[in-house]
Amino acid sequence: MRFIEEIVVDDFLPTFRSLLADALRERGLTQSEVADLLGISQSAVSKYVHGDVARHEDLLAHRGLEELVERLADGLADGDMSSVQALVETEVFIRELEQGGVLAQIHEGAVPELGDYDDEFAVHDPDSQLRSAERTLASVRRGLSVLENTSGFATLIPAVGSNLVQCLPDAGSIDDVAAVPGRILDVKGRATIPADPEFGVSEHVATLLLAARAAGSDARAVLNVRYDESVVATLRDAGLTVVEFDAEESVEPAVAAALADDPAADVLYHTGAMGIEPVVYLLGDDAVAVAETAREIL
């Protein structure tokens, strides 16, 4: 009897740590610094970088693992990512691989009887609500990291502040939308994020996202930025579908009317009303995608 957690310890961790140790050393970190970041001994780092630890071939062939290692190495080496954030992203990645991914396949190879097991409980369930929530929060964190490292993003923050939100696949209310508590603010020319993302802490931007999805949009993420004619023109010039809606109406009917002819619009905006600041809303598949859109228009 072998548990999938044993696969993680015996196969994933040695492969992952050796790849990340190599990547950090390539970025100029000492063995001592790598050991501190990974929470392991310098002798363990030495074994990793000298190839004294076996790496699992199936994991080495997984493109997602390579991308994760490079992203974590860049963030850790530059100081843009904390060890805790790297740990969370890795934990989410592991859960994804456990639930129907390569770790599940390795586990089934080690315990062939699992393939014949027929019961209501699925050992490798890819649709767990908890896993989906973890992935959503991790996506918002990555998107926020993009914004924090985008020179000049503060100039796109409206007076009311920005928020970066992403919803669960089956979202039905703002409690299913992850966002920044208190919004992203321009503090002395720098985008300031007051806290880690949580579910249920955005009302306006989350409501707009849910309204867009109810109107037929497939978007799962939104970022609101400052309105300016030049911003809208740049978005159009980039080939994005830009649609205006009426700020004087309530959000749900206004967005429904705006998306009636083209629910796949990439951008929604309004030019304001009495007491309402004009705003542009960037829609996308996930928080990283909309953050990248914001970076591209600067």
Side-chain angles (χ1 to χ4, degrees):
M1 185 166 59
R2 192 177 186 200
F3 295 95
I4 194 167
E5 289 79 6
E6 294 177 81
I7 303 294
V8 174
V9 172
D10 296 340
D11 298 317
F12 178 84
L13 287 180
T15 303
F16 168 73
R17 281 175 168 162
S18 64
L19 291 172
L20 185 53
D22 277 350
L24 290 169
R25 290 287 285 144
E26 288 172 0
R27 286 159 174 78
L29 275 71
T30 65
Q31 286 193 9
S32 176
E33 290 170 330
V34 173
D36 289 341
L37 285 172
L38 300 188
I40 58 179
S41 67
Q42 288 191 51
S43 61
V45 173
S46 178
K47 289 181 180 179
Y48 287 141
V49 299
H50 287 97
D52 296 334
V53 175
R55 298 175 175 179
H56 198 287
E57 291 297 325
D58 290 349
L59 291 167
L60 291 176
H62 192 280
R63 184 180 182 86
L65 178 58
E66 178 183 353
E67 293 173 350
L68 174 69
V69 167
E70 290 299 309
R71 185 169 66 252
L72 297 188
D74 285 339
L76 291 169
D78 295 340
D80 297 329
M81 178 182 292
S82 68
S83 294
V84 172
Q85 184 178 347
L87 172 63
V88 170
E89 291 206 23
T90 306
E91 288 278 8
V92 171
F93 184 73
I94 290 172
R95 300 302 173 262
E96 291 175 348
L97 297 191
E98 287 179 345
Q99 310 300 324
V102 66
L103 288 178
Q105 296 166 11
I106 296 172
H107 188 211
E108 289 175 0
V111 188
E113 296 83 1
L114 281 174
D116 300 324
Y117 183 72
D118 184 18
D119 192 49
E120 293 182 0
F121 174 72
V123 176
H124 304 132
D125 176 14
D127 298 319
S128 162
Q129 189 78 353
L130 177 60
R131 305 299 181 236
S132 182
E134 289 174 343
R135 289 194 293 270
T136 299
L137 287 169
S139 179
V140 176
R141 291 189 191 98
R142 291 195 297 272
L144 292 171
S145 179
V146 171
L147 297 179
E148 283 185 300
N149 291 286
T150 296
S151 177
F153 173 69
T155 65
L156 287 178
I157 298 176
V160 295
S162 290
N163 213 330
L164 177 62
V165 310
Q166 181 172 324
C167 68
L168 297 174
D170 57 351
S173 73
I174 62 173
D175 290 333
D176 300 321
V177 183
V180 176
R183 298 196 177 186
I184 307 165
L185 301 174
D186 175 4
V187 178
K188 297 181 178 179
R190 182 177 179 84
T192 302
I193 299 167
D196 285 338
E198 300 175 19
F199 282 95
V201 295
S202 169
E203 183 173 352
H204 180 70
V205 182
T207 297
L208 182 131
L209 174 59
L210 295 172
R213 288 173 60 80
S217 173
D218 292 329
R220 285 189 54 201
V222 171
L223 170 68
N224 65 311
V225 298
R226 174 181 59 83
Y227 167 81
D228 187 277
E229 289 183 2
S230 63
V231 170
V232 172
T234 300
L235 291 165
R236 284 200 176 99
D237 290 344
L240 300 178
T241 302
V242 180
V243 177
E244 182 178 2
F245 69 97
D246 188 352
E248 294 185 348
E249 293 187 43
S250 61
V251 172
E252 291 86 348
V255 169
L259 295 181
D261 294 329
D262 194 350
D266 306 298
V267 179
L268 288 168
Y269 77 96
H270 65 73
T271 56
M274 183 67 69
I276 301 176
E277 182 183 10
V279 176
V280 176
Y281 300 87
L282 310 177
L283 285 71
D285 293 335
D286 55 44
V288 177
V290 293
E292 292 284 1
T293 299
R295 181 161 65 182
E296 289 167 6
I297 64 176
L298 283 169

